[in-house]
Amino acid sequence: MSIHTPPSTYILRDIVDVAVPKSVAWWPQTIGWQILALVILMASLVWGYRRINVWWQNRYRREALQALATLDLGLPRESAMSLLTIIKVVLVYLDPKNAALFGEALLQKLDSLLPSATLKRAQGDTEIKPEHHADFQSDFQYRGELGKKWLAASLSSQQTLTEPELATLIEHTRTWLLFHRKPESISASNKGAQ
């Protein structure tokens, strides 16, 4: 801020200078603006905390999707076993009781966490297809023939998956990882563990 000085030349010495008003402060003078700024700051902090919390709580999804991206369709048996491992790790993270699941119980658990199953429960018997899950085929279920064949291929070298079957299974698993619902019990148990 510069200080106003009157002109110093001989011709202008008798001219009376105009009074310069005080500069306007950038900080609001009334309490209302300060309260509004505090409310906006607090809302921003709460919003940021929630976004970071959601990001942190969903890190297992990102890690599972990265592991899923490394599967090789050219090695169907190894990929089927790796896919089972990825699914089991996610399920155990969601609920440690899921460690004992295998076979039909595992497939039922996967189906129970599908987004379409969640929406059926929320809407009663009417099934709706969500807008943001447009690429999700609601008719796919792990308990179907492909899911049973996948489990058999994971255990036995005599049973194998074809590349299209494996690609279908990987794509549905990717969608499941992105959109499966988290049980309410994970929020409380993982918050205490972290």
Side-chain angles (χ1 to χ4, degrees):
M1 186 164 118
S2 64
I3 298 174
H4 182 72
T5 57
S8 59
T9 64
Y10 176 74
I11 297 173
L12 299 175
R13 72 175 173 206
D14 291 331
I15 294 181
V16 177
D17 195 19
V18 177
V20 178
K22 292 182 177 179
S23 61
V24 178
W26 285 96
W27 188 255
Q29 299 301 311
T30 59
I31 189 94
W33 286 109
Q34 294 171 0
I35 291 173
L36 179 64
L38 184 64
V39 167
I40 290 173
L41 177 67
M42 293 300 290
S44 299
L45 289 174
V46 167
W47 179 82
Y49 172 77
R50 287 186 178 173
R51 295 291 299 165
I52 289 171
N53 195 28
V54 166
W55 175 82
W56 183 256
Q57 291 293 324
N58 285 322
R59 70 192 182 284
Y60 76 95
R61 291 181 198 256
R62 291 187 301 276
E63 291 174 9
L65 288 168
Q66 287 173 351
L68 197 63
T70 64
L71 297 181
D72 185 10
L73 292 177
L75 303 168
R77 176 153 163 49
E78 290 80 8
S79 294
M81 289 172 35
S82 297
L83 185 61
L84 181 61
T85 303
I86 292 168
I87 290 287
K88 285 290 285 189
V89 167
V90 169
L91 285 175
V92 169
Y93 173 78
L94 292 175
D95 187 2
K97 296 174 188 172
N98 292 335
L101 293 179
F102 196 76
E104 187 69 26
L106 174 70
L107 298 176
Q108 285 178 349
K109 185 64 175 183
L110 289 172
D111 285 341
S112 72
L113 297 177
L114 281 172
S116 62
T118 305
L119 288 171
K120 281 181 191 176
R121 261 186 238 112
Q123 298 294 328
D125 290 335
T126 60
E127 180 180 352
I128 59 170
K129 191 171 186 178
E131 317 74 53
H132 59 284
H133 301 164
D135 59 341
F136 183 73
Q137 294 181 3
S138 61
D139 59 343
F140 177 79
Q141 288 194 345
Y142 283 97
R143 282 180 292 176
E145 186 178 323
L146 183 58
K148 291 176 183 175
K149 190 174 179 183
W150 162 54
L151 283 181
S154 300
L155 297 175
S156 171
S157 60
Q158 296 166 348
Q159 181 75 31
T160 60
L161 291 171
T162 63
E163 282 191 27
E165 288 174 332
L166 185 60
T168 300
L169 195 58
I170 288 173
E171 186 57 36
H172 285 291
T173 302
R174 180 177 292 114
T175 304
W176 183 86
L177 286 170
L178 287 171
F179 298 119
H180 72 273
R181 66 178 178 88
K182 257 193 322 194
E184 289 74 27
S185 61
I186 187 175
S187 301
S189 64
N190 282 341
K191 283 182 183 176
Q194 294 169 3

Coordinates of all heavy atoms in Angstrom, one line a residue, residues 7-16:
P7 N 1.3 17.0 -4.3 CA 2.2 17.3 -5.4 C 3.2 18.4 -4.9 O 2.9 19.2 -4.1 CB 1.3 17.9 -6.5 CG 0.0 18.2 -5.9 CD -0.1 17.3 -4.7
S8 N 4.5 18.3 -5.4 CA 5.5 19.2 -4.9 C 6.0 20.2 -5.9 O 7.0 20.9 -5.7 CB 6.7 18.3 -4.4 OG 7.2 17.6 -5.5
T9 N 5.3 20.3 -7.0 CA 5.8 21.3 -8.0 C 5.3 22.7 -7.7 O 4.4 22.9 -6.9 CB 5.3 20.9 -9.4 OG1 3.9 21.0 -9.4 CG2 5.8 19.5 -9.9
Y10 N 6.0 23.7 -8.2 CA 5.7 25.1 -8.0 C 4.3 25.5 -8.4 O 3.6 26.3 -7.7 CB 6.8 26.0 -8.6 CG 6.6 27.5 -8.5 CD1 6.8 28.1 -7.3 CD2 6.1 28.2 -9.5 CE1 6.6 29.5 -7.1 CE2 5.9 29.6 -9.4 CZ 6.2 30.2 -8.2 OH 6.0 31.5 -8.1
I11 N 3.9 25.0 -9.5 CA 2.6 25.4 -10.1 C 1.5 24.9 -9.3 O 0.4 25.5 -9.1 CB 2.5 24.9 -11.6 CG1 3.6 25.6 -12.4 CG2 1.2 25.2 -12.2 CD1 3.7 25.0 -13.8
L12 N 1.6 23.7 -8.7 CA 0.5 23.0 -8.0 C 0.6 23.2 -6.5 O -0.3 22.7 -5.8 CB 0.6 21.5 -8.3 CG 0.4 21.1 -9.8 CD1 0.6 19.6 -9.9 CD2 -0.9 21.5 -10.3
R13 N 1.4 24.1 -6.0 CA 1.5 24.2 -4.5 C 0.3 24.8 -3.8 O 0.1 24.5 -2.7 CB 2.8 24.9 -4.2 CG 2.7 26.4 -4.4 CD 4.0 27.1 -3.9 NE 3.9 28.4 -4.3 CZ 4.9 29.2 -4.5 NH1 6.1 28.8 -4.3 NH2 4.7 30.4 -4.9
D14 N -0.4 25.6 -4.5 CA -1.6 26.2 -3.8 C -2.9 25.4 -4.0 O -3.9 25.8 -3.5 CB -1.8 27.7 -4.4 CG -0.7 28.6 -3.9 OD1 -0.2 28.3 -2.8 OD2 -0.4 29.6 -4.7
I15 N -2.8 24.4 -4.8 CA -4.0 23.6 -5.0 C -4.2 22.7 -3.8 O -3.3 22.1 -3.2 CB -3.9 22.7 -6.2 CG1 -3.8 23.6 -7.5 CG2 -5.0 21.7 -6.3 CD1 -3.7 22.9 -8.8
V16 N -5.5 22.6 -3.3 CA -5.8 21.8 -2.2 C -6.0 20.4 -2.6 O -6.8 20.2 -3.6 CB -7.0 22.4 -1.4 CG1 -7.4 21.5 -0.3 CG2 -6.8 23.8 -1.0

